[in-house]
Structures are given as C-alpha cells and as structure tokens.
Amino acid sequence: MNVDVFTLFPEWFEWFSSQRHVSNVLAAGSSLECVNVREHTPLSGGQVDDTPFGGGAGMVLRVDVLDSALRAHYGVDPVLLRERRRVIALAPGGRLLDDRLVDELAGEPALTLLCGRYEGFDERILEHFASDVVSIGRYVLSGGELAAMVLCDAVMRKLPGALGHEESAAEESFSVALEGQPEYPHYTRPAEYRGWRVPEVLLSGHHARVEQWRRERSRERGLDLARGRSQG
Ligand code: 6GU
C-alpha cells in the first residue's frame, strides 16, 4: 500500500514510521510519504490558512493551498484524483473509523490523507477534493495528524508482514472471526498472583473448551459494550 500524508507537520510522522509494525510493513514494500503543505503554498510568507469568513475563532486551511500541494504532488487536478484513489480528509465530524472501515481501507492500493489544523478545512476541500471524511471519535483534536496516525496504525497492522508470524489480526476485537464482538480476556503467567487465579479452563489444555469459553466471553463483552459498560 502506498500512503501519502498531506500535513503541516511532516516531522511528527518520523517517530510513527519508525515503530516496529509500521517499519515491517514499509520493509515489505509499502510506502508512507509525507508532503509538507507549506512547501507548496502559492502565498507569500508560507501562508496556508486564513480567518473564517463570517467571523469566529481559529484559522482554516485554504482550498487554493491544498489544490497547489495536491497538484504539485500528483500532477493532476485534485478534483480528478479522488476518482483514482481514496483521498481521506481527517475531520472530527466525519465517518467514524471502525473495524469495517479499516478493513475496507486495508484493501486499497493507495491512500491520500489530508490533515487539517486549527479550525480545520475550508469546506470546499471536503466537497471537491476528498473522497471520504473520517473521524476517530466525537471529540476535537488540534489537528488531523494524530487521527491520520491512528488510521494508518489500524490499517497497516492488517497488511501482510505487519505482525510476527505467531500473531494474527484475524481473531482480534471487532473482527469478522469474532462476529464483530470485542476480544475475549487474555491471561499469562503467573497462573496465580496475589490470590487472583487464571480461569481453570485456560489451564486445562482442552482446546474445544477453551474456544467455547472465549466465544462466550467475547459475546458477553459485546453485550456489555452495547449496554454502555466497558472493560479493559
Ligand atoms: Cl479526524 N480530526 C480532528 N481535528 N479532531 C478529531 C478527529 C479528526 N477525530 C476526532 N477528533
């Protein structure tokens, strides 16, 4: 997969790219490239944002600046770009990222991520350049960068080579294998700690019973989630 991130803070992604499961995916042939939007602004003094028409607090990323940056990078009108590849603007009001969307994006050959800052994007960017607007939750971050990293992290760990052989993203929380339910609880050594014992069935070596127990716990947690309760 080829991921391009349009951001005012490309250096934030250096740390992200060096994380093991990301670097594994990059070593296996994927790419994660950052484009510094500021380097492509046609405006003087490196200006990229402006005050909102109609008044109000904050600054808004300009549509002409993002047009220039996308056009410089891809050599096409950004209005056409979104027909060729997913162009995802990260904004708090977008479609909520969940396992289904992550799976869908993991199947794409290429993604373009647009990170807004401050008050966000001029609406025309979302209307004319983006194929999708995605949010990671109903709260406001100071920019799209962390959300872009969350999306990349979730997508990249689904790609071949991200996890070691012994691990698998197939049977984890919210996966199809778990019928969309959260994952069952995990335990490791010691089998007893401060009087807290690991459930006997997990120590039994009885594979079918372990499987049944895990399915039951997974469904139980799903019901708790649906009722608005949560666990670790
Ligand atoms: Cl994608 N962007 C920003 N700025 N805030 C967010 C978000 C995205 N998702 C949740 N909050």
Side-chain angles (χ1 to χ4, degrees):
M1 170 180 287
N2 159 238
V3 182
D4 297 331
V5 183
F6 285 69
T7 171
L8 296 172
F9 299 92
E11 66 281 1
W12 287 30
F13 291 85
E14 285 165 23
W15 165 82
F16 177 72
S17 303
S18 70
Q19 299 310 299
R20 176 63 70 83
H21 68 281
V22 179
S23 65
N24 283 348
V25 167
L26 299 181
S30 287
S31 68
L32 176 61
E33 194 182 337
C34 285
V35 177
N36 188 344
V37 171
R38 202 178 298 283
E39 285 174 9
H40 296 283
T41 180
L43 306 173
S44 63
Q47 189 190 350
V48 292
D49 51 15
D50 222 324
T51 53
F53 282 128
M59 300 292 273
V60 177
L61 189 62
R62 287 175 56 131
V63 61
D64 51 348
V65 171
L66 208 55
D67 193 341
S68 294
L70 286 164
R71 204 180 285 263
H73 190 74
Y74 296 108
V76 295
D77 184 339
V79 169
L80 303 175
L81 183 67
R82 67 177 176 184
E83 283 156 29
R84 290 200 202 159
R85 56 193 280 153
R86 297 288 278 266
V87 179
I88 300 168
L90 282 311
R95 171 177 169 189
L96 279 179
L97 186 67
D98 61 8
D99 192 66
R100 219 182 85 206
L101 180 53
V102 170
D103 265 338
E104 190 183 312
L105 297 178
E108 295 283 338
L111 301 176
T112 297
L113 305 181
L114 309 179
C115 302
R117 272 271 122 186
Y118 320 114
E119 288 307 296
F121 299 96
D122 184 299
E123 190 67 19
R124 292 166 290 185
I125 293 170
L126 308 182
E127 259 175 53
H128 301 291
F129 300 160
S131 60
D132 305 77
V133 184
V134 170
S135 167
I136 61 163
R138 296 298 182 230
Y139 44 80
V140 179
L141 301 168
S142 47
E145 282 77 11
L146 288 172
M149 286 184 227
V150 166
L151 185 152
C152 276
D153 186 294
V155 168
M156 284 182 159
R157 62 194 299 289
K158 301 250 187 189
L159 301 180
L163 308 175
H165 319 285
E166 70 285 1
E167 291 178 84
S168 164
E171 190 173 296
E172 62 185 8
S173 291
F174 315 115
S175 62
V176 173
L178 289 183
E179 301 160 0
Q181 302 295 337
E183 209 167 2
Y184 45 79
H186 300 283
Y187 297 88
T188 186
R189 280 178 284 275
E192 180 170 346
Y193 182 68
R194 295 180 56 188
W196 305 321
R197 283 196 58 75
V198 169
E200 281 310 318
V201 58
L202 299 179
L203 309 173
S204 69
H206 196 304
H207 187 68
R209 280 177 49 213
V210 168
E211 281 305 297
Q212 190 194 345
W213 182 88
R214 287 179 165 169
R215 293 286 171 277
E216 285 168 7
R217 298 292 82 73
S218 175
R219 285 197 196 106
E220 217 168 68
R221 289 187 154 189
L223 285 174
D224 282 349
L225 266 191
R227 294 188 188 112
R229 271 185 263 142
S230 68
Q231 59 280 303

